[in-house]
Amino acid sequence: QVQLAESGGGLVQAGGSLRLSCAASGRTFSSYVMGWFRQAAGKEREFVARIVQSGGNTYYSDSVKGRFTISRDNAKKMVYLQMNSLKPEDTAVYYCGAALALAYLTVEEKYYGYWGQGTQVTVSS
């Protein structure tokens, strides 16, 4: 079992940067594909990025590709999302999730068995 807790959200101006962190508990953290999703007000939760167990492969949604970077530190049981060149449309609650599934499936939230409580990111224009 894995427990997840996000941090690092806040208010930032367009063009700015934020780094989100996700702290995990549990002995099997390195077994999970880790992902970041976001949910804007009135919209469904959407995939942002994911990273495989070893950290050797990452995948991003088209909307964040080239601006966001996902990384993980298995020794510290941490996952990060570096967000640069932020836009107002990036405003959302950001969630990290843990999945025991093939990596190509983990763009869909249904494959994630564990979620954090979320952290709010607000980008002002």
Side-chain angles (χ1 to χ4, degrees):
Q1 191 165 352
V2 178
Q3 292 183 320
L4 304 171
E6 303 93 337
S7 62
L11 174 64
V12 63
Q13 288 188 329
S17 298
L18 280 175
R19 187 195 196 203
L20 304 184
S21 298
C22 175
S25 65
R27 295 186 295 174
T28 59
F29 171 75
S30 60
S31 299
Y32 292 85
V33 174
M34 298 300 296
W36 286 97
F37 284 68
R38 65 187 181 186
Q39 187 168 21
K43 296 187 177 182
E44 294 185 351
R45 189 151 56 180
E46 65 172 0
F47 170 79
V48 174
R50 66 93 175 126
I51 186 167
V52 299
Q53 292 87 337
S54 67
N57 183 270
T58 58
Y59 184 76
Y60 300 90
S61 68
D62 288 343
S63 61
V64 308
K65 195 176 300 181
R67 300 188 297 122
F68 290 11
T69 302
I70 187 171
S71 61
R72 66 190 294 164
D73 185 331
N74 285 341
K76 295 182 178 179
K77 298 181 183 178
M78 295 291 295
V79 182
Y80 306 99
L81 187 68
Q82 178 67 43
M83 306 186 296
N84 299 328
S85 303
L86 283 161
K87 304 175 182 180
E89 52 263 44
D90 295 318
T91 295
V93 177
Y94 283 71
Y95 299 89
C96 71
L100 281 175
L102 295 174
Y104 78 94
L105 295 172
T106 57
V107 297
E108 298 186 53
E109 61 175 306
K110 67 180 180 181
Y111 292 103
Y112 289 77
Y114 304 98
W115 294 97
Q117 82 287 351
T119 186
Q120 176 71 47
V121 172
T122 303
V123 184
S124 63
S125 58

